[in-house]
């Protein structure tokens, strides 16, 4: 069975700790969403750690950890409960501090005790469900849904088309949905959130309430409240009657629900769904040798979560860690069929063993990220001292360039770092047609003893401007390189979007080459042409 290890772990080696509570979602200095998680050691020591928000689908209250790894042998704490509620809107919203201390003790920590809990009365017991657990169970089955939930209009970014024809819903998922998640179960789940008015309102309310609280706390700068953290809240729609199966602990007549395992009673607003995703292809058999690649890679991979990762790589075919599911049973069960437009040919001839390509032996634990995904992934930043960098997500018009850099990283033995800067203001060129500030990617390429810097200006409007390749001399410092980059960008803006040859001639300590863009180039062609500039 695969194991999942959290890289940042606050306790000594061999010390057991239980995941006891969730704190507030908050953003780090890069603007990435994170979640505070509370652990209690067997010694009683309570520690609150910040992890990427995308880790939430894999976290459960009551999990026992040792050295950051969930103990897969010991059962999670709590007993099984089954209860019925008349409707979701019949719950009373309280704070954690209202719970009996014998049920859970927050040690007077306001970060934990002020988190919201929804209380439902059923058969003489009060069932207390943390809002974070309710949101996770209903909506978040992957890191993708977790991050799009905390974006305005995030659901629309996952669905390209949703329309009825002859009482059938035609649902087209976007390329932002990974191929492994583009299945009938997720099509049924996403269409339920998207089409049911009450459930859709509940989904939207998570970010809406978060933003409303941020504005209330810091009217002039809501992002400051995001940095501090805001307790999660949610609107409760008049949906019911529901039957819940969960795991919890009880004190007198109060039950703290640590995990919602299954929910039944929802009605799906659609009877028939035809869904499509770019990865769905129609298989056609043709004669030809079947290529078989042997790999020593184990099926049961062990993963370590890099919780300090800045961004995960955006890739439709990216490996996806499967989160433990919450079983949703609808009173009606929509029939889902897959529409396949593209063709994938399958060879029916003899098997031929090959050794080239991806695959091979896997040693040790694979390091993965649950951060929000962007094109560019986890390419480390350049250690600039004076230049102000921005997240890759703000780099509109550099997506193809990021893709080309990823090809270079996989193809050539270079050490590559990358940062993104804003082009200086002052001219029309400084702003892209959509109103966003134009940006410039700076890539540091180390090829043995040689060092190069690549400057690529964002071109969402297909602006005609060459790529610059800078080669510093052996005596040139990083501070001088930064001054040259600033000098070149200032000259670019003053020249209204063209490299100023006079400025290029004035740059000291670096040799500068230009590389033109060709529309006929594929991304691979582009990568090889650029790599050719790094061979002396």
């Amino acid at each position: 069975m695969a194991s999942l290890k959290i890289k940042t772990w606050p306790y000594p080696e061999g010390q057991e700790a239980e995941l006891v509570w969730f704190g507030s979602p908050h953003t780090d200095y890069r603007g990435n969403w994170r979640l505070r998680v509370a652990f209690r050691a067997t010694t009683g020591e309570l520690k609150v750690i910040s992890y990427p928000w995308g880790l939430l689908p894999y976290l459960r209250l009551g999990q026992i950890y040792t050295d950051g790894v969930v103990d897969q042998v010991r059962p999670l704490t709590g007993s099984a409960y089954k209860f019925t509620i008349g409707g979701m809107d019949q719950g009373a919203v309280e704070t954690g501090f209202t719970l009996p201390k014998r049920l859970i003790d927050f040690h007077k920590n306001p970060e934990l005790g002020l988190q919201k809990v929804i209380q439902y009365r059923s058969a003489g017991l009060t069932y207390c469900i943390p809002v974070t657990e309710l949101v996770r169970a209903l909506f978040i089955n992957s890191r993708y849904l977790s991050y799009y939930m905390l974006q305005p209009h995030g659901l629309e970014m996952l669905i390209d088309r949703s329309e009825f024809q002859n009482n059938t819903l035609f649902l087209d998922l976007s390329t932002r949905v990974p191929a492994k998640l583009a299945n009938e179960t997720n099509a049924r789940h996403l269409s339920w959130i998207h089409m049911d008015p009450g459930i859709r309102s509940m989904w939207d309310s998570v970010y809406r309430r978060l933003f409303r609280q941020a504005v209330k706390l810091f009217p002039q700068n809501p992002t400051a409240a995001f940095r501090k953290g805001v307790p999660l809240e949610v609107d409760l729609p008049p949906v019911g009657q529901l039957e819940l199966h969960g795991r919890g602990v009880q004190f007198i007549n109060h039950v703290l629900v640590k995990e919602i395992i299954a929910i039944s009673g929802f009605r799906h607003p659609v009877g028939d769904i035809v869904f499509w995703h770019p990865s769905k292809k129609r298989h056609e058999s043709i004669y030809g040798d079947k290529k078989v690649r042997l790999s020593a890679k184990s099926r049961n991979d062990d993963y370590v979560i890099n919780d300090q990762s800045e961004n995960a790589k955006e890739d439709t075919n990216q490996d996806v860690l499967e989160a433990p599911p919450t079983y949703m049973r609808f009173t009606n069960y929509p029939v889902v069929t897959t529409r396949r437009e593209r063709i994938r040919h399958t060879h029916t001839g003899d098997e031929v063993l090959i050794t080239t390509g991806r695959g091979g032996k896997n040693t040790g634990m694979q390091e993965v990220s649950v951060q929000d995904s962007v094109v560019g992934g986890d390419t480390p930043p350049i250690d600039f001292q004076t230049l102000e960098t921005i997240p890759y997500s703000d780099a509109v018009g550099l997506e193809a360039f990021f893709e080309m850099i990823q090809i270079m990283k996989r193809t050539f033995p270079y050490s590559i770092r990358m940062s993104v800067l804003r082009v200086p203001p002052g001219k029309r060129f400084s702003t892209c047609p959509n109103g966003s500030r134009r940006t410039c990617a700076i890539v540091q390429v180390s090829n043995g003893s040689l060092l190069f810097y690549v400057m690529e200006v964002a071109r969402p409007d297909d602006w005609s401007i060459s790529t610059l390749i800078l080669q510093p001399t052996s005596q040139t410092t990083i501070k001088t390189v930064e001054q040259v980059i600033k000098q070149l960008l200032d000259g670019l803006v003053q020249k209204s979007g063209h490299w100023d040859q006079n400025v290029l001639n004035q740059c000291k300590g670096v040799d500068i080459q230009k590389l033109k863009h060709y529309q006929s180039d594929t991304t691979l062609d582009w990568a090889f042409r650029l790599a050719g500039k790094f061979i002396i």
Side-chain angles (χ1 to χ4, degrees):
M1 182 180 295
S3 67
L4 186 65
K5 179 178 181 179
I6 302 175
K7 194 171 185 179
T8 300
W9 186 244
Y11 294 101
E13 185 177 354
Q15 174 74 67
E16 286 187 357
E18 178 186 347
L19 197 166
V20 294
W21 202 248
F22 297 120
S24 296
H26 65 100
T27 57
D28 60 16
Y29 70 95
R30 302 186 189 101
N32 293 323
W33 282 103
R34 300 180 71 85
L35 176 69
R36 296 187 179 98
V37 183
F39 296 89
R40 179 180 287 114
T42 51
T43 60
E45 184 181 15
L46 187 72
K47 291 189 177 182
V48 181
I49 313 299
S50 175
Y51 291 122
W53 173 251
L55 190 60
L56 178 61
Y58 313 98
L59 301 177
R60 300 291 187 275
L61 298 181
Q63 286 174 331
I64 306 297
Y65 288 78
T66 303
D67 301 329
V69 180
V70 177
D71 191 325
Q72 299 187 29
V73 177
R74 291 180 56 182
L76 282 67
T77 61
S79 303
Y81 288 88
K82 172 184 173 183
F83 59 100
T84 302
I85 61 176
M88 293 192 68
D89 59 336
Q90 295 181 11
V93 180
E94 306 287 350
T95 66
F97 278 135
T98 63
L99 300 176
K101 284 188 68 174
R102 293 287 297 275
L103 199 59
I104 183 168
D105 187 359
F106 299 112
H107 296 278
K108 299 181 180 180
N109 185 332
E111 166 63 29
L112 305 179
L114 292 177
Q115 300 304 315
K116 305 300 181 182
V117 177
I118 304 172
Q119 298 185 357
Y120 292 97
R121 295 280 298 173
S122 178
L125 295 177
T126 300
Y127 292 88
C128 309
I129 306 176
V131 166
T132 303
E133 171 59 20
L134 181 63
V135 168
R136 182 208 62 77
L138 289 178
F139 300 125
I140 300 176
N141 61 11
S142 67
R143 72 175 176 88
Y144 291 87
L145 283 180
S146 65
Y147 281 106
Y148 284 109
M149 169 171 274
L150 296 188
Q151 295 186 29
H153 311 294
L155 194 62
E156 280 77 6
M157 300 176 71
L158 299 174
I159 298 174
D160 283 343
R161 174 196 177 206
S162 176
E163 64 180 55
F164 276 104
Q165 292 182 13
N166 300 323
N167 296 320
T168 298
L169 175 66
F170 287 82
L171 183 76
D172 291 359
L173 303 182
S174 76
T175 55
R176 294 181 177 90
V177 178
K180 285 191 176 181
L181 292 182
N183 53 45
E184 294 182 1
T185 299
N186 278 300
R188 192 177 287 112
H189 183 230
L190 282 174
S191 61
W192 171 63
I193 300 172
H194 187 62
M195 301 303 297
D196 188 291
I199 300 302
R200 176 59 187 273
S201 176
M202 188 177 182
W203 164 284
D204 291 338
S205 73
V206 175
Y207 179 79
R208 185 175 63 246
R209 281 178 169 263
L210 205 64
F211 187 77
R212 185 187 304 163
Q213 286 297 314
V215 172
K216 185 177 179 180
L217 292 171
F218 294 92
Q220 303 303 321
N221 185 19
T223 55
F226 289 158
R227 290 285 298 274
K228 182 179 178 181
V230 180
L232 209 62
E233 297 185 60
V234 67
D235 290 348
L236 299 174
V239 178
Q241 177 180 24
L242 302 176
E243 183 178 270
L244 290 84
H245 297 254
R247 174 179 51 82
V249 291
Q250 181 176 348
F251 175 69
I252 308 179
N253 63 340
H254 280 71
V255 178
L256 173 59
V257 179
K258 293 191 172 187
E259 179 184 4
I260 298 174
I261 298 172
I263 308 176
S264 62
F266 290 115
R267 180 173 179 81
H268 200 292
V270 177
D272 293 286
I273 303 170
V274 176
F275 97 96
W276 175 85
H277 184 267
S279 66
K280 300 303 178 185
K281 299 179 181 180
R282 189 171 67 254
H283 290 259
E284 289 188 1
S285 298
I286 61 173
Y287 183 79
D289 291 336
K290 292 188 291 185
K291 296 180 180 180
V292 179
R293 181 181 294 114
L294 297 182
S295 172
K297 185 176 179 180
S298 171
R299 285 179 175 271
N300 292 326
D301 297 314
D302 292 333
Y303 299 94
V304 56
I305 295 293
N306 179 6
D307 47 89
Q308 298 303 319
S309 164
E310 180 173 355
N311 283 297
K313 177 188 173 187
E314 182 141 296
D315 183 351
T316 302
N317 297 302
Q318 173 177 344
D319 291 337
V320 177
L321 298 177
E322 293 188 7
T326 299
Y327 296 97
M328 307 284 293
R329 182 178 179 182
F330 296 100
T331 55
N332 60 326
Y333 201 71
V335 177
V336 181
T337 54
T338 303
R339 190 174 91 251
R340 303 175 188 273
E341 297 177 349
R342 300 162 69 184
I343 297 175
R344 173 179 293 164
H345 290 121
T346 303
H347 288 187
T348 59
D350 298 329
E351 293 186 351
V352 178
L353 297 181
I354 61 173
T355 58
T356 59
R358 297 184 62 185
K361 187 173 181 180
N362 174 44
T363 58
M365 301 184 78
Q366 296 186 60
E367 187 170 288
V368 296
S369 170
V370 290
Q371 267 293 13
D372 195 7
S373 60
V374 297
V375 177
D378 260 337
T379 305
I382 304 172
D383 297 325
F384 285 137
Q385 301 171 10
T386 59
L387 296 176
E388 182 181 355
T389 61
I390 62 173
Y392 295 159
S393 54
D394 292 347
V396 177
L398 285 169
E399 294 82 4
F401 180 75
F402 290 158
E403 183 180 346
M404 183 271 293
I405 293 298
Q406 292 299 320
I407 291 177
M408 284 191 60
K409 288 174 64 177
R410 295 193 299 266
T411 309
F412 301 100
Y414 300 152
S415 174
I416 294 179
R417 290 175 171 268
M418 180 166 62
S419 294
V420 177
L421 314 175
R422 286 192 176 91
V423 168
K427 296 282 187 177
R428 179 186 297 178
F429 175 75
S430 305
T431 305
C432 296
N434 67 352
S436 63
R437 177 79 73 84
R438 194 179 296 269
T439 55
C440 177
I442 311 295
V443 179
Q444 183 190 73
V445 181
S446 177
N447 181 12
S449 60
L450 301 175
L451 186 66
F452 299 86
Y453 289 87
V454 179
M455 296 181 63
E456 175 72 12
V457 178
R459 305 182 308 121
D461 48 358
D462 293 326
W463 187 265
S464 179
I465 182 171
S466 298
T467 305
L468 291 189
I469 298 100
L470 284 58
Q471 184 183 7
T473 63
S474 56
Q475 294 80 25
T476 303
T477 64
I478 182 67
K479 187 174 181 180
T480 300
V481 172
E482 291 182 60
Q483 292 173 347
V484 168
I485 291 173
K486 186 176 185 303
Q487 186 178 356
L488 289 169
L489 290 178
D490 287 339
L492 172 72
V493 171
Q494 294 305 315
K495 198 74 171 178
S496 298
H498 302 282
W499 298 119
D500 190 327
Q501 190 59 48
N502 291 329
V503 174
L504 267 64
N505 295 337
Q506 295 170 9
C507 292
K508 305 298 182 183
V510 296
D511 293 327
I512 302 177
Q513 302 180 67
K514 291 182 180 179
L515 182 70
K516 290 184 178 181
H517 294 99
Y518 295 107
Q519 290 186 347
S520 58
D521 271 359
T522 64
T523 309
L524 185 62
D525 295 334
W526 190 8
F528 273 87
R529 285 205 304 120
L530 180 58
K533 298 293 184 178
F534 306 142
I535 302 173
I536 304 299

